[in-house]
Amino acid sequence: MKKIFLFFAAVSVLFACDATHEDISNGGHISADQLRASSSVTVDKASNGKNGNVITCLTTAPVNAKWTLGGKDLLGNYAKKKMKVDRDEKGNYKDTEHKVYLTALCADGTLLKDSFVINCQDITDPLQKYYIYGEDPAAQPPFKPAAWNAACMRFSDNEGKFTDINGKEGFLPYLSDDVYWGFKTLIFDISEATADCAGRIMNGWWSARYDDDKDVHFTNGLWELPLTEAIAKDCARGNGGSGKDLDIMLTSGSCQINAVYYEE
């Protein structure tokens, strides 16, 4: 969603010291060898002993870090991320090599890059879904957010509401601090999206945007929104957050939101 240079332009101002999230600045830089020694990518094993399709990426280096797999970026510091490797064009993992990239920004502005080659041969246990909304479609029916109505997709169970497909009012719940500060990737199950469906990623106070000031285009299927340090600091309700609530607002077109969840 973000270009790499935009990420690193922003990341230098995101990290401030508080009681829960310490300033990771190391006053200088580490070497590429130190980054490599502090980082790893491990692959889950299937029951037959072959490599599975779920990997865990970890770095303990004192840097701002970003993992990238298959064009998807996962942000974090002291970053540990569990990811699922997608099937290849033939629908399998056999003898399919994947390259996982690690990009790090040191305190003095030095940019370091590394990569890890993995091989996935079989399907392991899928990542577990943790639903924010829509796990039970009867209790939490799909809804169609109205354009330019910031209440419809505000993650606050008392300051924003939508009308579901049954005509009843509903709320998206608060996101917990574990979700914000865990830098989870929110997954939106979207259907009935019109060709011009687009929206703004912001907070409920309209005080910041998290989409590089450019509306995001929504299509049918799964849309992913990685939660960043900037979002957590503005929107989390504790541990240093300002409690402004994450808010997704349609600015054109229409769509149906069936569920919101994250996987790990």
Side-chain angles (χ1 to χ4, degrees):
M1 181 177 68
K2 292 186 176 182
K3 300 294 185 183
I4 189 171
F5 66 89
L6 292 174
F7 164 71
F8 284 113
V11 79
S12 61
V13 298
L14 296 182
F15 302 98
C17 186
D18 61 52
T20 304
H21 299 86
E22 64 179 350
D23 185 352
I24 65 168
S25 170
N26 62 354
H29 70 271
I30 63 174
S31 67
D33 288 341
Q34 288 172 317
L35 177 65
R36 182 74 178 191
S38 303
S39 309
S40 65
V41 177
T42 56
V43 184
D44 287 4
K45 292 293 184 180
S47 58
N48 57 14
K50 294 182 178 180
N51 284 350
N53 69 311
V54 176
I55 65 174
T56 299
C57 304
L58 171 67
T59 182
T60 58
V63 291
N64 299 325
K66 177 176 75 170
W67 291 101
T68 304
L69 171 64
K72 296 179 181 179
D73 295 338
L74 294 112
L75 315 180
N77 356 317
Y78 294 102
K80 181 177 181 180
K81 295 293 181 181
K82 205 164 190 176
M83 296 186 282
K84 181 171 58 179
V85 179
D86 294 330
R87 294 172 184 262
D88 64 17
E89 64 276 5
K90 296 180 181 179
N92 56 56
Y93 302 102
K94 185 177 181 181
D95 299 325
T96 301
E97 286 192 346
H98 301 266
K99 186 170 284 189
V100 185
Y101 297 92
L102 173 61
T103 311
L105 183 68
C106 298
D108 67 350
T110 301
L111 189 67
L112 300 174
K113 295 183 179 181
D114 205 343
S115 63
F116 301 78
V117 176
I118 58 172
N119 186 284
C120 298
Q121 301 164 314
D122 210 340
I123 299 174
T124 48
D125 292 334
L127 297 181
Q128 183 175 347
K129 291 182 180 179
Y130 294 87
Y131 280 87
I132 306 297
Y133 182 87
E135 181 175 12
D136 181 351
Q140 296 179 319
F143 63 95
K144 296 181 178 180
W148 291 102
N149 186 338
C152 292
M153 284 195 284
R154 178 169 176 166
F155 287 89
S156 169
D157 55 15
N158 61 18
E159 296 190 66
K161 59 186 177 181
F162 55 80
T163 301
D164 66 33
I165 59 173
N166 297 324
K168 297 180 179 180
E169 290 184 344
F171 295 85
L172 287 176
Y174 289 125
L175 295 178
S176 71
D177 281 6
D178 288 342
V179 172
Y180 279 122
W181 292 117
F183 306 121
K184 309 299 185 185
T185 295
L186 299 185
I187 302 172
F188 292 72
D189 183 345
I190 299 174
S191 62
E192 301 186 28
T194 58
D196 61 341
C197 187
R200 179 179 299 180
I201 306 169
M202 61 181 196
N203 63 55
W205 290 9
W206 294 65
S207 60
R209 293 181 63 172
Y210 313 107
D211 51 16
D212 300 325
D213 293 323
K214 183 178 181 180
D215 286 2
V216 176
H217 185 221
F218 300 115
T219 58
N220 291 331
L222 302 180
W223 174 65
E224 297 185 357
L225 173 60
L227 299 181
T228 64
E229 185 94 359
I231 293 175
K233 282 187 174 293
D234 284 346
C235 301
R237 305 188 70 81
N239 298 308
S242 298
K244 297 177 181 179
D245 300 327
L246 179 64
D247 203 341
I248 315 297
M249 182 178 69
L250 288 192
T251 54
S252 64
S254 63
C255 68
Q256 178 170 295
I257 306 298
N258 301 306
V260 183
Y261 60 91
Y262 63 92
E263 293 180 322
E264 60 180 19

PDB file of all heavy atoms in Angstrom, residues 2-29:
ATOM      1  N   LYS A   2       2.024   1.187   0.625  1.00  0.00           N
ATOM      2  CA  LYS A   2       2.915   2.336   0.698  1.00  0.00           C
ATOM      3  C   LYS A   2       4.211   2.022  -0.020  1.00  0.00           C
ATOM      4  O   LYS A   2       4.752   0.946   0.092  1.00  0.00           O
ATOM      5  CB  LYS A   2       3.212   2.702   2.162  1.00  0.00           C
ATOM      6  CG  LYS A   2       1.999   3.243   2.900  1.00  0.00           C
ATOM      7  CD  LYS A   2       2.404   3.723   4.274  1.00  0.00           C
ATOM      8  CE  LYS A   2       1.236   4.351   4.993  1.00  0.00           C
ATOM      9  NZ  LYS A   2       1.608   4.862   6.311  1.00  0.00           N
ATOM     10  N   LYS A   3       4.676   3.020  -0.736  1.00  0.00           N
ATOM     11  CA  LYS A   3       5.974   2.894  -1.362  1.00  0.00           C
ATOM     12  C   LYS A   3       7.053   2.911  -0.292  1.00  0.00           C
ATOM     13  O   LYS A   3       6.917   3.525   0.751  1.00  0.00           O
ATOM     14  CB  LYS A   3       6.188   4.041  -2.351  1.00  0.00           C
ATOM     15  CG  LYS A   3       5.149   4.081  -3.470  1.00  0.00           C
ATOM     16  CD  LYS A   3       5.257   2.888  -4.384  1.00  0.00           C
ATOM     17  CE  LYS A   3       4.295   3.018  -5.555  1.00  0.00           C
ATOM     18  NZ  LYS A   3       4.318   1.841  -6.434  1.00  0.00           N
ATOM     19  N   ILE A   4       8.150   2.264  -0.588  1.00  0.00           N
ATOM     20  CA  ILE A   4       9.181   2.100   0.431  1.00  0.00           C
ATOM     21  C   ILE A   4       9.752   3.442   0.878  1.00  0.00           C
ATOM     22  O   ILE A   4       9.988   3.656   2.061  1.00  0.00           O
ATOM     23  CB  ILE A   4      10.291   1.166  -0.089  1.00  0.00           C
ATOM     24  CG1 ILE A   4      11.239   0.827   1.058  1.00  0.00           C
ATOM     25  CG2 ILE A   4      11.026   1.765  -1.248  1.00  0.00           C
ATOM     26  CD1 ILE A   4      12.222  -0.260   0.688  1.00  0.00           C
ATOM     27  N   PHE A   5       9.899   4.374  -0.080  1.00  0.00           N
ATOM     28  CA  PHE A   5      10.479   5.645   0.342  1.00  0.00           C
ATOM     29  C   PHE A   5       9.506   6.436   1.204  1.00  0.00           C
ATOM     30  O   PHE A   5       9.915   7.194   2.077  1.00  0.00           O
ATOM     31  CB  PHE A   5      10.920   6.471  -0.869  1.00  0.00           C
ATOM     32  CG  PHE A   5       9.811   6.938  -1.760  1.00  0.00           C
ATOM     33  CD1 PHE A   5       9.181   8.140  -1.541  1.00  0.00           C
ATOM     34  CD2 PHE A   5       9.406   6.146  -2.831  1.00  0.00           C
ATOM     35  CE1 PHE A   5       8.156   8.555  -2.364  1.00  0.00           C
ATOM     36  CE2 PHE A   5       8.373   6.571  -3.651  1.00  0.00           C
ATOM     37  CZ  PHE A   5       7.752   7.773  -3.419  1.00  0.00           C
ATOM     38  N   LEU A   6       8.219   6.256   0.987  1.00  0.00           N
ATOM     39  CA  LEU A   6       7.243   6.916   1.845  1.00  0.00           C
ATOM     40  C   LEU A   6       7.259   6.331   3.239  1.00  0.00           C
ATOM     41  O   LEU A   6       7.111   7.033   4.234  1.00  0.00           O
ATOM     42  CB  LEU A   6       5.847   6.793   1.237  1.00  0.00           C
ATOM     43  CG  LEU A   6       5.616   7.580  -0.057  1.00  0.00           C
ATOM     44  CD1 LEU A   6       4.248   7.257  -0.628  1.00  0.00           C
ATOM     45  CD2 LEU A   6       5.736   9.071   0.196  1.00  0.00           C
ATOM     46  N   PHE A   7       7.421   5.013   3.295  1.00  0.00           N
ATOM     47  CA  PHE A   7       7.489   4.353   4.601  1.00  0.00           C
ATOM     48  C   PHE A   7       8.637   4.903   5.428  1.00  0.00           C
ATOM     49  O   PHE A   7       8.479   5.270   6.588  1.00  0.00           O
ATOM     50  CB  PHE A   7       7.648   2.850   4.410  1.00  0.00           C
ATOM     51  CG  PHE A   7       8.101   2.135   5.652  1.00  0.00           C
ATOM     52  CD1 PHE A   7       7.254   1.984   6.740  1.00  0.00           C
ATOM     53  CD2 PHE A   7       9.393   1.633   5.736  1.00  0.00           C
ATOM     54  CE1 PHE A   7       7.667   1.333   7.881  1.00  0.00           C
ATOM     55  CE2 PHE A   7       9.813   0.980   6.866  1.00  0.00           C
ATOM     56  CZ  PHE A   7       8.945   0.828   7.951  1.00  0.00           C
ATOM     57  N   PHE A   8       9.796   4.994   4.823  1.00  0.00           N
ATOM     58  CA  PHE A   8      10.954   5.427   5.598  1.00  0.00           C
ATOM     59  C   PHE A   8      10.964   6.939   5.811  1.00  0.00           C
ATOM     60  O   PHE A   8      11.581   7.412   6.754  1.00  0.00           O
ATOM     61  CB  PHE A   8      12.248   4.965   4.934  1.00  0.00           C
ATOM     62  CG  PHE A   8      12.480   3.503   5.150  1.00  0.00           C
ATOM     63  CD1 PHE A   8      12.438   2.616   4.102  1.00  0.00           C
ATOM     64  CD2 PHE A   8      12.702   3.004   6.426  1.00  0.00           C
ATOM     65  CE1 PHE A   8      12.632   1.263   4.315  1.00  0.00           C
ATOM     66  CE2 PHE A   8      12.894   1.656   6.643  1.00  0.00           C
ATOM     67  CZ  PHE A   8      12.863   0.786   5.576  1.00  0.00           C
ATOM     68  N   ALA A   9      10.296   7.688   4.973  1.00  0.00           N
ATOM     69  CA  ALA A   9      10.159   9.110   5.253  1.00  0.00           C
ATOM     70  C   ALA A   9       9.324   9.324   6.496  1.00  0.00           C
ATOM     71  O   ALA A   9       9.574  10.217   7.300  1.00  0.00           O
ATOM     72  CB  ALA A   9       9.522   9.818   4.058  1.00  0.00           C
ATOM     73  N   ALA A  10       8.318   8.489   6.646  1.00  0.00           N
ATOM     74  CA  ALA A  10       7.417   8.631   7.789  1.00  0.00           C
ATOM     75  C   ALA A  10       7.949   7.979   9.047  1.00  0.00           C
ATOM     76  O   ALA A  10       7.726   8.466  10.150  1.00  0.00           O
ATOM     77  CB  ALA A  10       6.046   8.036   7.442  1.00  0.00           C
ATOM     78  N   VAL A  11       8.672   6.881   8.887  1.00  0.00           N
ATOM     79  CA  VAL A  11       9.005   6.076  10.053  1.00  0.00           C
ATOM     80  C   VAL A  11       9.935   6.790  11.013  1.00  0.00           C
ATOM     81  O   VAL A  11       9.922   6.542  12.202  1.00  0.00           O
ATOM     82  CB  VAL A  11       9.611   4.726   9.612  1.00  0.00           C
ATOM     83  CG1 VAL A  11      11.073   4.876   9.222  1.00  0.00           C
ATOM     84  CG2 VAL A  11       9.452   3.677  10.705  1.00  0.00           C
ATOM     85  N   SER A  12      10.719   7.731  10.488  1.00  0.00           N
ATOM     86  CA  SER A  12      11.677   8.409  11.354  1.00  0.00           C
ATOM     87  C   SER A  12      11.008   9.280  12.400  1.00  0.00           C
ATOM     88  O   SER A  12      11.622   9.629  13.402  1.00  0.00           O
ATOM     89  CB  SER A  12      12.621   9.270  10.507  1.00  0.00           C
ATOM     90  OG  SER A  12      11.890  10.257   9.804  1.00  0.00           O
ATOM     91  N   VAL A  13       9.728   9.652  12.185  1.00  0.00           N
ATOM     92  CA  VAL A  13       9.052  10.492  13.162  1.00  0.00           C
ATOM     93  C   VAL A  13       8.044   9.721  13.991  1.00  0.00           C
ATOM     94  O   VAL A  13       7.329  10.299  14.798  1.00  0.00           O
ATOM     95  CB  VAL A  13       8.330  11.657  12.454  1.00  0.00           C
ATOM     96  CG1 VAL A  13       9.323  12.526  11.723  1.00  0.00           C
ATOM     97  CG2 VAL A  13       7.242  11.149  11.519  1.00  0.00           C
ATOM     98  N   LEU A  14       7.993   8.424  13.824  1.00  0.00           N
ATOM     99  CA  LEU A  14       6.937   7.651  14.470  1.00  0.00           C
ATOM    100  C   LEU A  14       7.298   7.139  15.852  1.00  0.00           C
ATOM    101  O   LEU A  14       6.420   6.773  16.615  1.00  0.00           O
ATOM    102  CB  LEU A  14       6.560   6.448  13.591  1.00  0.00           C
ATOM    103  CG  LEU A  14       5.950   6.768  12.230  1.00  0.00           C
ATOM    104  CD1 LEU A  14       5.596   5.473  11.536  1.00  0.00           C
ATOM    105  CD2 LEU A  14       4.732   7.638  12.368  1.00  0.00           C
ATOM    106  N   PHE A  15       8.551   7.053  16.183  1.00  0.00           N
ATOM    107  CA  PHE A  15       8.943   6.311  17.364  1.00  0.00           C
ATOM    108  C   PHE A  15       9.386   7.246  18.480  1.00  0.00           C
ATOM    109  O   PHE A  15      10.446   7.846  18.422  1.00  0.00           O
ATOM    110  CB  PHE A  15      10.071   5.330  17.014  1.00  0.00           C
ATOM    111  CG  PHE A  15       9.644   4.381  15.943  1.00  0.00           C
ATOM    112  CD1 PHE A  15       9.977   4.609  14.626  1.00  0.00           C
ATOM    113  CD2 PHE A  15       8.865   3.271  16.249  1.00  0.00           C
ATOM    114  CE1 PHE A  15       9.560   3.741  13.639  1.00  0.00           C
ATOM    115  CE2 PHE A  15       8.449   2.403  15.263  1.00  0.00           C
ATOM    116  CZ  PHE A  15       8.788   2.642  13.964  1.00  0.00           C
ATOM    117  N   ALA A  16       8.560   7.357  19.497  1.00  0.00           N
ATOM    118  CA  ALA A  16       8.878   8.184  20.660  1.00  0.00           C
ATOM    119  C   ALA A  16       8.793   7.325  21.898  1.00  0.00           C
ATOM    120  O   ALA A  16       8.098   6.327  21.936  1.00  0.00           O
ATOM    121  CB  ALA A  16       7.896   9.344  20.746  1.00  0.00           C
ATOM    122  N   CYS A  17       9.505   7.715  22.929  1.00  0.00           N
ATOM    123  CA  CYS A  17       9.568   6.896  24.129  1.00  0.00           C
ATOM    124  C   CYS A  17       8.305   7.034  24.957  1.00  0.00           C
ATOM    125  O   CYS A  17       7.826   8.136  25.187  1.00  0.00           O
ATOM    126  CB  CYS A  17      10.774   7.331  24.967  1.00  0.00           C
ATOM    127  SG  CYS A  17      11.078   6.301  26.416  1.00  0.00           S
ATOM    128  N   ASP A  18       7.745   5.913  25.388  1.00  0.00           N
ATOM    129  CA  ASP A  18       6.676   5.909  26.369  1.00  0.00           C
ATOM    130  C   ASP A  18       6.855   4.685  27.244  1.00  0.00           C
ATOM    131  O   ASP A  18       7.786   3.908  27.075  1.00  0.00           O
ATOM    132  CB  ASP A  18       5.287   5.963  25.705  1.00  0.00           C
ATOM    133  CG  ASP A  18       5.002   4.787  24.810  1.00  0.00           C
ATOM    134  OD1 ASP A  18       5.169   3.641  25.286  1.00  0.00           O
ATOM    135  OD2 ASP A  18       4.607   4.988  23.652  1.00  0.00           O
ATOM    136  N   ALA A  19       5.949   4.494  28.204  1.00  0.00           N
ATOM    137  CA  ALA A  19       6.129   3.445  29.198  1.00  0.00           C
ATOM    138  C   ALA A  19       6.101   2.058  28.605  1.00  0.00           C
ATOM    139  O   ALA A  19       6.691   1.133  29.151  1.00  0.00           O
ATOM    140  CB  ALA A  19       5.030   3.579  30.256  1.00  0.00           C
ATOM    141  N   THR A  20       5.420   1.903  27.458  1.00  0.00           N
ATOM    142  CA  THR A  20       5.263   0.567  26.894  1.00  0.00           C
ATOM    143  C   THR A  20       6.160   0.325  25.698  1.00  0.00           C
ATOM    144  O   THR A  20       6.650  -0.773  25.493  1.00  0.00           O
ATOM    145  CB  THR A  20       3.798   0.365  26.474  1.00  0.00           C
ATOM    146  OG1 THR A  20       2.978   0.611  27.605  1.00  0.00           O
ATOM    147  CG2 THR A  20       3.561  -1.042  25.963  1.00  0.00           C
ATOM    148  N   HIS A  21       6.379   1.364  24.900  1.00  0.00           N
ATOM    149  CA  HIS A  21       7.128   1.201  23.657  1.00  0.00           C
ATOM    150  C   HIS A  21       8.361   2.091  23.705  1.00  0.00           C
ATOM    151  O   HIS A  21       8.292   3.285  23.441  1.00  0.00           O
ATOM    152  CB  HIS A  21       6.240   1.545  22.459  1.00  0.00           C
ATOM    153  CG  HIS A  21       5.043   0.658  22.378  1.00  0.00           C
ATOM    154  ND1 HIS A  21       3.892   0.942  23.072  1.00  0.00           N
ATOM    155  CD2 HIS A  21       4.839  -0.518  21.752  1.00  0.00           C
ATOM    156  CE1 HIS A  21       3.015  -0.016  22.847  1.00  0.00           C
ATOM    157  NE2 HIS A  21       3.559  -0.912  22.063  1.00  0.00           N
ATOM    158  N   GLU A  22       9.477   1.499  24.055  1.00  0.00           N
ATOM    159  CA  GLU A  22      10.687   2.284  24.250  1.00  0.00           C
ATOM    160  C   GLU A  22      11.243   2.777  22.931  1.00  0.00           C
ATOM    161  O   GLU A  22      11.019   2.204  21.882  1.00  0.00           O
ATOM    162  CB  GLU A  22      11.749   1.425  24.950  1.00  0.00           C
ATOM    163  CG  GLU A  22      12.208   0.223  24.130  1.00  0.00           C
ATOM    164  CD  GLU A  22      13.274  -0.567  24.842  1.00  0.00           C
ATOM    165  OE1 GLU A  22      13.763  -0.076  25.858  1.00  0.00           O
ATOM    166  OE2 GLU A  22      13.609  -1.651  24.379  1.00  0.00           O
ATOM    167  N   ASP A  23      11.956   3.870  23.009  1.00  0.00           N
ATOM    168  CA  ASP A  23      12.653   4.413  21.852  1.00  0.00           C
ATOM    169  C   ASP A  23      13.757   3.434  21.462  1.00  0.00           C
ATOM    170  O   ASP A  23      14.643   3.134  22.253  1.00  0.00           O
ATOM    171  CB  ASP A  23      13.245   5.774  22.219  1.00  0.00           C
ATOM    172  CG  ASP A  23      13.883   6.480  21.032  1.00  0.00           C
ATOM    173  OD1 ASP A  23      14.004   5.858  19.964  1.00  0.00           O
ATOM    174  OD2 ASP A  23      14.247   7.651  21.191  1.00  0.00           O
ATOM    175  N   ILE A  24      13.694   2.956  20.217  1.00  0.00           N
ATOM    176  CA  ILE A  24      14.673   1.947  19.812  1.00  0.00           C
ATOM    177  C   ILE A  24      15.908   2.566  19.166  1.00  0.00           C
ATOM    178  O   ILE A  24      16.755   1.860  18.638  1.00  0.00           O
ATOM    179  CB  ILE A  24      14.052   0.916  18.847  1.00  0.00           C
ATOM    180  CG1 ILE A  24      13.646   1.600  17.530  1.00  0.00           C
ATOM    181  CG2 ILE A  24      12.869   0.224  19.470  1.00  0.00           C
ATOM    182  CD1 ILE A  24      13.308   0.632  16.445  1.00  0.00           C
ATOM    183  N   SER A  25      15.983   3.864  19.176  1.00  0.00           N
ATOM    184  CA  SER A  25      17.148   4.516  18.603  1.00  0.00           C
ATOM    185  C   SER A  25      18.419   4.013  19.279  1.00  0.00           C
ATOM    186  O   SER A  25      18.498   3.942  20.492  1.00  0.00           O
ATOM    187  CB  SER A  25      17.031   6.036  18.785  1.00  0.00           C
ATOM    188  OG  SER A  25      18.234   6.672  18.444  1.00  0.00           O
ATOM    189  N   ASN A  26      19.412   3.675  18.451  1.00  0.00           N
ATOM    190  CA  ASN A  26      20.672   3.195  19.017  1.00  0.00           C
ATOM    191  C   ASN A  26      21.797   4.218  18.851  1.00  0.00           C
ATOM    192  O   ASN A  26      22.955   3.901  19.035  1.00  0.00           O
ATOM    193  CB  ASN A  26      21.075   1.850  18.388  1.00  0.00           C
ATOM    194  CG  ASN A  26      21.307   1.973  16.888  1.00  0.00           C
ATOM    195  OD1 ASN A  26      21.063   3.030  16.314  1.00  0.00           O
ATOM    196  ND2 ASN A  26      21.776   0.909  16.265  1.00  0.00           N
ATOM    197  N   GLY A  27      21.410   5.438  18.476  1.00  0.00           N
ATOM    198  CA  GLY A  27      22.392   6.504  18.407  1.00  0.00           C
ATOM    199  C   GLY A  27      23.337   6.406  17.226  1.00  0.00           C
ATOM    200  O   GLY A  27      24.269   7.179  17.116  1.00  0.00           O
ATOM    201  N   GLY A  28      23.133   5.468  16.326  1.00  0.00           N
ATOM    202  CA  GLY A  28      24.009   5.324  15.178  1.00  0.00           C
ATOM    203  C   GLY A  28      23.468   4.287  14.235  1.00  0.00           C
ATOM    204  O   GLY A  28      22.324   4.348  13.825  1.00  0.00           O
ATOM    205  N   HIS A  29      24.309   3.300  13.912  1.00  0.00           N
ATOM    206  CA  HIS A  29      23.844   2.268  12.996  1.00  0.00           C
ATOM    207  C   HIS A  29      24.494   0.934  13.318  1.00  0.00           C
ATOM    208  O   HIS A  29      25.495   0.868  14.020  1.00  0.00           O
ATOM    209  CB  HIS A  29      24.126   2.665  11.547  1.00  0.00           C
ATOM    210  CG  HIS A  29      25.589   2.653  11.201  1.00  0.00           C
ATOM    211  ND1 HIS A  29      26.391   3.753  11.367  1.00  0.00           N
ATOM    212  CD2 HIS A  29      26.392   1.664  10.711  1.00  0.00           C
ATOM    213  CE1 HIS A  29      27.622   3.459  10.978  1.00  0.00           C
ATOM    214  NE2 HIS A  29      27.650   2.200  10.589  1.00  0.00           N
TER     215      HIS A  29
END
